[in-house]
């Protein structure tokens, strides 16, 4: 069957391949000179070749409107700009999950960002002791801060908490046995499952107890001359409820120490301040774990701590020393960028009264619901007028999450805007929601929201009142245009 032009919609005449200039000729065009001056000949030539290849294919199909040829310089400029547009971008997190792993987890404090900016464009004293004028250790940039905050004797840092756990097990139990309760053989996400980590670290996992109940005598009975480590894993991303029993660090430490064995706890989140003081669900603190007798505690830098991706390892000097000297440490070491951010973040913890103001993670987690409700009320009319008549907007109570596996059983009371497509029935509902979500993601500052039943929910907990709220408002005309 032959498709011809339909009557009433005349197809514009197509340019022929021979009408297109060569790459060289295009690059000599005076209109292209500013592009070449800005980006150099090589880059512009590569983009020009791609653009001309595309257009040549269209021309061969008779699908390149001849009028488009005059706009070749502009098309090349757009293509150059698109190729150079950053892939990693800011977004507005309106999902209601404060520590959203897909959205970069913790947002850094201003001071942490400033420290990165101040040190990264120049040489710095990453491993240089300025007092002695001699080679230093990068750990020393944060070790005393971690010790002061947690009460540990020593501390070291690696790339993330998964690395901290792997390194801790390898250094303390490689070639020997590590005892873990069956109730704590967690999968954290991705390929990080405790039995596999044990194997990768070269340790033999000895499981004790059952899924729901493990007793002190289970650990005692499993200790043999081959045992090198007792380990606890904080079950941060799920909860076992009902008929349960587990052995706390405080009970387990004397059992380990009586046999000369270390006790390692993987805390995961590792909040450094008691969240219960703000009415949030309590998380175990590294400082408490150490006071309870743990020899080594590992936790993340970018979960509740509110800093960069990092794995923090604190504890008794002899074990931290073994971990630091273990060859794998070199492969897992923390880079200077997160180290700068981590140092600045930890300095905020020396001034705990500032945390809920200056550390974004804690500022967002402790935001009063009344504040979020007031923000929702402010945004209702502007959003409604941008989305009418296709969508209706209402203020709604919502429940968000801390995120990153923290306390998934608990939700955070929040508020926001619930947006419903205005359709006579359910037909087309999915498409209307999809279209709105896409339009939000296509904004210059993309907005990420979540679908809840047949509505799109914008949870406002993470929309900072100073700055981000105005940025959202400023984009509403574009949103309106995209949907009309
Ligand atoms: C999140 C988590 C990890 C992994 O930490 P990352 O910093 O993401 O590598 C390990 N163990 C527990 C219990 C966790 O919650």
């Amino acid at each position: 069957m032959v498709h011809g032009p339909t009557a009433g919609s005349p197809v514009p005449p197509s340019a022929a391949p021979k009408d297109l200039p060569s790459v060289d000729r295009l690059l000599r065009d005076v209109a292209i000179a500013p592009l070449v001056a800005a980006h150099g000949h090589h880059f512009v030539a590569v983009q020009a070749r791609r653009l001309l290849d595309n257009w040549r294919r269209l021309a061969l199909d008779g699908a390149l409107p001849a009028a488009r040829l005059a706009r070749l310089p502009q098309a090349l400029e757009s293509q150059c700009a698109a190729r150079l547009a950053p892939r990693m971008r800011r977004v507005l997190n309106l999902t209601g999950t404060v520590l959203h792993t897909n959205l970069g987890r913790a947002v850094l404090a201003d001071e942490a960002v400033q420290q990165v900016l101040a040190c990264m464009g120049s040489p710095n004293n990453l491993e240089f002791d300025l007092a002695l004028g001699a080679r230093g250790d990068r750990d020393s940039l944060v070790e005393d801060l971690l010790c002061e905050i947690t009460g540990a004797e020593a501390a070291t840092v690696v790339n993330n908490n998964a690395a901290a756990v792997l390194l801790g097990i390898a250094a303390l139990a490689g070639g020997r046995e590590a005892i873990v309760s069956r109730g704590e053989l967690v999968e954290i996400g991705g390929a990080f499952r405790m039995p596999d980590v044990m194997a990768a670290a070269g340790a033999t996992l000895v499981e004790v107890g059952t899924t729901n109940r493990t007793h002190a005598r289970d650990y005692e009975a499993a200790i043999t001359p081959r045992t090198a480590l007792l380990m606890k894993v904080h079950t941060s991303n799920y909860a076992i409820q009902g008929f349960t029993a587990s052995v706390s660090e405080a009970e387990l430490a004397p059992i380990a120490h009586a046999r000369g064995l270390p006790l390692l706890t993987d805390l995961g989140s590792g909040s450094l301040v008691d969240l219960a003081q703000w009415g949030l669900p309590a998380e175990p603190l590294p400082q408490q774990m150490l006071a309870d007798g743990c020899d080594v505690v590992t936790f993340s830098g970018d979960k509740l701590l509110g800093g960069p991706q990092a794995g923090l390892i604190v504890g008794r000097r002899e074990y931290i020393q073994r971990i630091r000297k273990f060859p794998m440490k070199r492969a897992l070491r923390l880079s200077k960028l997160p180290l700068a951010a981590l140092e600045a973040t930890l300095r905020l913890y020396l001034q705990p009264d500032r945390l809920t103001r200056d550390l974004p993670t804690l500022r967002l987690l402790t935001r009063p619901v009344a504040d979020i409700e007031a923000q929702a009320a402010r945004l209702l009319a502007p959003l409604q007028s941008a989305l009418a008549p296709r969508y209706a907007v209402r203020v709604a109570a919502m429940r968000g999450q801390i995120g990153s596996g923290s306390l998934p059983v608990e939700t955070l009371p929040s508020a926001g805007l619930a947006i419903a497509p205005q359709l006579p029935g359910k037909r087309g509902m999915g498409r209307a929601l999809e279209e709105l979500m896409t339009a939000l993601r296509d904004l210059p500052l993309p907005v990420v929201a979540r679908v809840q039943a047949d509505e799109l929910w914008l949870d406002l907990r993470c929309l900072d009142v100073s700055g981000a709220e105005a940025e959202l408002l400023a984009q509403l005309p574009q949103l309106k245009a995209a949907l009309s």
Side-chain angles (χ1 to χ4, degrees):
M1 182 171 157
V2 177
H3 295 273
T6 32
S9 60
V11 172
S14 178
K18 69 170 171 42
D19 300 333
L20 290 167
S22 68
V23 171
D24 280 341
R25 215 183 85 214
L26 177 57
L27 261 64
R28 282 196 305 270
D29 189 324
V30 286
I32 301 300
L35 269 185
V36 175
H39 305 294
H41 185 276
H42 172 81
F43 173 76
V44 181
V46 169
Q47 299 309 318
R49 197 164 298 121
R50 270 184 209 159
L51 183 66
L52 288 168
D53 282 350
N54 269 335
W55 282 26
R56 195 165 296 113
R57 264 192 299 276
L58 286 174
L60 281 169
D61 289 346
L64 181 70
R68 212 193 275 180
L69 283 185
R71 293 199 306 272
L72 191 50
Q74 291 91 316
L76 181 57
E77 191 178 346
S78 311
Q79 173 153 329
C80 288
R83 186 66 193 91
L84 293 175
R87 294 285 204 276
M88 187 187 276
R89 296 162 61 193
R90 290 180 58 209
V91 303
L92 290 179
N93 170 11
L94 302 191
T95 63
T97 299
V98 176
L99 296 169
H100 199 301
T101 296
N102 303 147
L103 303 182
R105 286 199 186 160
V107 170
L108 291 181
D110 272 349
E111 270 160 82
V113 174
Q114 292 312 320
Q115 173 91 343
V116 172
L117 283 176
C119 296
M120 291 307 123
S122 126
N124 54 57
N125 62 335
L126 177 67
E127 290 184 351
F128 184 71
D129 187 322
L130 286 170
L132 298 178
R135 193 203 148 108
D137 183 333
R138 64 179 67 203
D139 277 0
S140 63
L141 294 170
V142 291
E143 184 173 21
D144 68 325
L145 283 164
L146 279 167
C147 291
E148 180 168 347
I149 295 163
T150 66
E153 287 176 9
T156 184
V157 287
V158 287
N159 184 51
N160 54 22
N161 187 41
V165 173
L166 178 71
L167 176 63
I169 296 169
L172 301 180
R176 297 175 66 201
E177 292 180 356
I179 302 176
V180 187
S181 161
R182 289 197 171 88
E184 298 172 8
L185 293 174
V186 302
E187 174 180 308
I188 283 132
F192 196 80
R193 311 171 108 188
M194 205 39 78
D196 302 337
V197 174
M198 281 279 172
T204 303
L205 169 64
V206 174
E207 304 175 18
V208 296
T210 61
T211 305
N212 59 329
R213 289 173 72 81
T214 301
H215 306 282
R217 59 177 183 274
D218 295 326
Y219 288 95
E220 282 169 331
I223 296 175
T224 71
R226 291 181 304 279
T227 308
L229 180 69
L230 267 57
M231 182 170 175
K232 289 276 293 175
V233 184
H234 185 54
T235 55
S236 49
N237 57 0
Y238 70 100
I240 297 181
Q241 289 172 333
F243 185 55
T244 64
S246 63
V247 185
S248 71
E249 279 81 353
E251 294 168 85
L252 205 49
I255 295 171
H257 297 161
R259 317 292 185 101
L261 298 170
L263 171 62
L264 182 154
T265 288
D266 170 21
L267 271 192
S269 273
S271 173
L272 289 173
V273 285
D274 183 9
L275 298 180
Q277 65 183 296
W278 299 294
L280 291 163
E283 275 274 297
L285 306 176
Q287 44 271 54
Q288 187 59 47
M289 293 291 117
L290 293 170
D292 285 351
C294 285
D295 299 284
V296 177
V297 181
T298 71
F299 50 103
S300 277
D302 58 354
K303 292 184 181 173
L304 286 168
L305 192 146
Q309 178 186 305
L312 288 71
I313 311 177
V314 299
R316 298 261 307 277
R317 182 165 290 110
E318 78 172 284
Y319 297 116
I320 297 297
Q321 208 49 25
R322 263 165 70 185
I323 289 169
R324 190 179 277 147
K325 292 216 171 92
F326 196 73
M328 198 189 275
K329 164 70 162 56
R330 175 62 180 78
L332 303 175
R333 77 180 182 191
L334 192 59
S335 143
K336 62 184 178 177
L337 277 98
L339 202 44
L342 181 62
E343 186 209 327
T345 306
L346 291 173
R347 270 192 268 113
L348 279 176
Y349 280 89
L350 295 182
Q351 314 153 68
D353 297 329
R354 293 182 52 191
L355 289 170
T356 56
R357 189 187 67 199
D358 297 327
L359 190 71
T361 299
L362 289 177
R363 179 171 67 233
L364 296 174
L365 284 173
T366 58
R367 230 185 125 188
V369 179
D371 192 38
I372 308 173
E373 285 166 350
Q375 188 179 32
R378 273 200 304 278
L379 289 172
L380 177 63
L383 208 73
Q384 179 65 84
S385 78
L387 297 178
R390 294 181 56 200
Y391 301 87
V393 188
R394 68 187 173 90
V395 171
M398 299 183 175
R399 299 200 72 87
Q401 288 193 6
I402 295 179
S404 273
S406 304
L407 322 149
V409 200
E410 314 270 359
T411 54
L412 295 173
S414 187
L417 297 163
I419 306 171
Q422 294 304 94
L423 296 166
K426 291 239 171 194
R427 277 196 54 190
M429 193 65 86
R431 220 181 46 234
L433 286 171
E434 194 55 52
E435 197 184 334
L436 177 57
M437 270 203 295
T438 305
L440 286 165
R441 286 199 310 269
D442 280 347
L443 289 169
L445 177 54
V447 173
V448 185
R450 74 175 198 270
V451 172
Q452 185 87 11
D454 282 334
E455 292 181 319
L456 193 72
W457 278 24
L458 307 182
D459 186 316
L460 300 179
R461 175 173 291 279
C462 299
L463 187 69
D464 251 320
V465 175
S466 60
E469 180 180 326
E471 288 181 289
L472 176 64
L473 281 170
Q475 300 195 108
L476 291 182
Q478 275 152 293
L479 182 63
K480 188 182 177 75
L483 290 167
S484 60

